[in-house]
């Protein structure tokens, strides 16, 4: 009984994962370019003079697309790859262990987005809405 309930709500759980992951990813981009929220990286992307700035552009664009569920698979593919590169360029050289090098979020984003490449957007997505209209 519980298994059937859980299985029938998988598309909603997938949508919640997609929306929250997209919004969290977007926040990294807004911090770099809009200085919101304030923090260590606030405004760091404005000069476009560091790899993190280019990652910030990807975080902004793909974060919005993933949260909305629009072009989810390609956006998640780009975001996943960006986080893999970020981990190996910025985090891994500092220490072998993700919990010590600050890269655990990059790894988690990488694999959540990789999952979305295969799973798609789930329920409550702009893609589903556009399909219904078209």
């Amino acid at each position: 009984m519980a298994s059937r309930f859980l299985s029938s709500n998988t598309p909603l759980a997938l949508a919640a994962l997609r929306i929250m992951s997209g919004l969290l990813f977007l926040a990294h981009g807004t911090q770099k370019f809009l200085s919101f929220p304030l923090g260590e990286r606030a405004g760091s992307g404005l000069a476009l003079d560091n790899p993190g700035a280019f990652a910030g552009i990807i975080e902004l664009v793909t974060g919005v697309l993933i949260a909305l569920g629009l072009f989810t698979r390609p956006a998640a593919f780009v975001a996943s790859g960006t986080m893999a590169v970020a981990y190996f360029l910025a985090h891994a050289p500092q220490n072998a262990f993700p919990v010590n090098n600050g890269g655990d979020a990059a790894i988690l984003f990488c694999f959540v987005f990789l999952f979305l490449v295969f799973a798609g957007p789930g329920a409550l997505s702009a893609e589903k809405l556009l399909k219904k209209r078209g």
Side-chain angles (χ1 to χ4, degrees):
M1 191 112 129
S3 178
R4 190 175 329 144
F5 172 78
L6 294 172
S7 294
S8 68
N9 285 294
T10 297
L12 288 173
L14 174 58
L17 177 67
R18 174 186 47 80
I19 292 166
M20 290 309 302
S21 298
L23 291 174
L24 287 169
F25 203 56
L26 175 62
H28 286 271
T30 60
Q31 185 178 59
K32 289 173 184 142
F33 287 98
L34 305 176
S35 296
F36 180 80
L38 289 176
E40 182 182 328
R41 299 225 178 253
S44 66
L46 293 172
L48 290 175
D49 63 352
N50 62 79
F54 295 102
I57 294 168
I58 292 170
E59 290 162 350
L60 283 170
V61 174
T62 62
V64 167
L65 291 173
I66 291 167
L68 292 175
L70 186 62
F71 305 113
T72 304
R73 285 184 162 105
F77 181 79
V78 170
S80 177
T82 300
M83 289 297 94
V85 169
Y87 179 77
F88 286 108
L89 289 183
H91 299 283
Q94 296 178 35
N95 188 288
F97 299 99
V99 71
N100 292 335
N101 67 27
D104 43 358
I107 292 171
L108 192 56
F109 274 128
C110 179
F111 281 93
V112 167
F113 293 142
L114 184 61
F115 174 72
L116 291 177
V117 170
F118 290 91
L124 307 173
S125 71
E127 290 174 29
K128 300 270 188 210
L129 186 63
L130 291 173
K131 263 188 187 172
K132 283 184 183 178
R133 286 189 169 178

